[in-house]
């Protein structure tokens, strides 16, 4: 295992353990969760602060919103959408 990968997983597993109230006997579970999180982060190839992921999400959301408004027929009796 790559040393930086192992260090990251170790620190993340420790953080999960602390956040969970420091339970006894769950070290393997925390290690597996941290390892899975590391693998997902590697696959996204995101920056440390996630800025690339955020910009892609904003871009995708904007495109979806524009697309949903383009094909809607104008009837003149449309209801106003209420914010969440």
């Amino acid at each position: 295992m790559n040393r930086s990968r192992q260090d990251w997983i170790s620190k993340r597993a420790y953080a999960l353990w602390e956040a969970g109230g420091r339970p006894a006997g769950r070290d393997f579970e925390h290690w597996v969760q941290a390892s899975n999180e590391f693998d997902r982060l590697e696959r996204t190839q995101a920056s440390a602060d996630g800025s690339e992921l955020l910009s892609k999400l904003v871009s995708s959301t904007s495109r979806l919103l524009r697309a949903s408004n383009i094909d809607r027929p104008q009837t003149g009796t449309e209801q106003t959408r209420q914010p969440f």
Side-chain angles (χ1 to χ4, degrees):
M1 183 183 301
N2 185 333
R3 188 68 193 157
S4 63
R5 181 181 194 275
Q6 186 175 2
D7 289 344
W8 190 95
I9 292 171
S10 177
K11 289 175 184 175
R12 179 63 181 143
Y14 184 82
L16 291 168
W17 174 70
E18 282 192 322
R22 299 180 176 188
R26 300 202 32 216
D27 52 330
F28 181 73
E29 179 184 330
H30 293 136
W31 187 271
V32 169
Q33 181 179 345
S35 179
N36 289 338
E37 289 177 11
F38 183 87
D39 292 341
R40 281 191 302 255
L41 286 171
E42 286 258 307
R43 284 192 303 269
T44 63
Q45 298 178 353
S47 62
D49 64 0
S51 61
E52 292 137 5
L53 229 44
L54 290 174
S55 66
K56 287 179 183 179
L57 180 62
V58 168
S59 175
S60 295
T61 303
S62 297
R63 280 195 306 266
L64 287 172
L65 288 173
R66 284 193 305 273
S68 69
N69 289 328
I70 290 173
D71 297 328
R72 186 182 312 140
Q74 300 296 320
T75 63
T77 60
E78 294 181 25
Q79 295 180 351
T80 307
R81 290 186 182 182
Q82 297 296 322
F84 297 136

